[in-house]
């Protein structure tokens, strides 16, 4: 959905109804060396590392706890292993339209290769992501409410000028 349309709010309301552990990561629109920023955020929230020693070494390298060299494929595999071990789990990635291709590959491989694990990957993005990844399944476009539906949600208790501002913003 477009910026400000309510993606984050809708996700928060929906996740509030789910009885599951939720971890979050956000892509940043700026900076160098931030390819895996959202992955690092998730790993830190999980407060765990994969049980497989090779996967653990890859995660430690990602976290800057080791100087061992690792590849993007190894990081994606290790991250997937960690999520599977921590499941059931909801992983929310926000603003992935700013994610680098390597990160988007990691998300895609996690979704495809973890099909048997109780994981929900919820990724929020602006519409231009669909142009970069047109084949991604499960894409849902959040559109603005028609004016009459927005008016119904705002209700009559809100004064006219404030009502118009809310309606315009929504």
């Amino acid at each position: 959905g477009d910026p400000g349309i309510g993606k984050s709010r809708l996700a928060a309301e929906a996740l509030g109804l789910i009885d599951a552990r939720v971890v979050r990561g956000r892509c940043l629109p700026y900076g160098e060396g931030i390819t895996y920023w959202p992955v690092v955020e998730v790993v830190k929230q999980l407060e765990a590392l994969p049980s497989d020693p090779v996967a653990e070494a890859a995660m430690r390298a990602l976290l800057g706890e080791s100087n061992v060299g690792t590849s993007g494929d190894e990081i994606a595999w290790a991250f997937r292993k960690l999520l599977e071990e921590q499941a059931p789990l909801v992983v929310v990635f926000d603003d992935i339209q700013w994610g680098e291709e390597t990160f988007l590959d990691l998300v895609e491989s996690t979704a495809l290769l973890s099909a048997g694990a109780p994981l929900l990957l919820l990724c929020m993005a602006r519409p231009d992501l669909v142009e970069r990844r047109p084949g991604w399944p499960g894409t849902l476009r959040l559109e603005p409410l028609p004016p009459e539906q927005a008016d119904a949600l705002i209700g009559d208790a809100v004064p006219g000028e404030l009502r118009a501002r809310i309606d315009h913003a929504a």
Side-chain angles (χ1 to χ4, degrees):
D2 293 323
I5 195 88
K7 298 178 297 292
S8 297
R9 175 62 186 259
L10 181 62
E13 293 292 330
L15 293 172
L17 301 173
I18 297 174
D19 184 23
R21 184 173 181 196
V22 178
V23 290
R24 303 171 197 283
R26 166 178 247 110
C27 292
L28 302 176
Y30 56 86
E32 291 185 32
I34 59 170
T35 300
Y36 294 110
W37 180 267
V39 174
V40 170
E41 287 184 307
V42 167
V43 172
K44 287 180 177 180
Q45 290 168 51
L46 290 173
E47 298 178 339
L49 292 172
S51 60
D52 180 284
V54 177
E56 178 186 353
M59 285 290 98
R60 286 195 184 282
L62 177 68
L63 295 170
E65 298 174 1
S66 164
N67 291 329
V68 175
T70 189
S71 70
D73 288 340
E74 290 171 327
I75 290 171
W77 169 76
F79 183 63
R80 189 178 78 247
K81 290 295 180 195
L82 176 62
L83 295 182
E84 290 171 352
E85 289 177 7
Q86 295 294 311
L89 191 62
V90 177
V91 181
V92 179
F93 287 124
D94 202 357
D95 290 326
I96 68 167
Q97 75 276 355
W98 291 322
E100 295 182 25
E101 292 302 315
T102 303
F103 168 73
L104 297 177
D105 290 343
L106 176 145
V107 170
E108 186 170 356
S109 70
T110 300
L112 292 173
L113 299 174
S114 295
L119 293 173
L120 172 62
L121 295 179
L122 176 60
C123 300
M124 294 176 287
R126 295 181 182 172
D128 51 308
L129 179 72
V130 176
E131 296 170 15
R132 289 173 60 193
R133 297 288 172 139
W136 274 17
T139 302
L140 175 66
R141 169 82 184 201
L142 186 59
E143 299 285 348
L145 289 174
E148 61 278 357
Q149 290 179 353
D151 286 341
L153 282 175
I154 296 169
D156 295 329
V158 178
E161 181 181 320
L162 179 57
R163 181 187 186 97
R165 286 188 7 217
I166 292 170
D167 187 38
H168 177 72

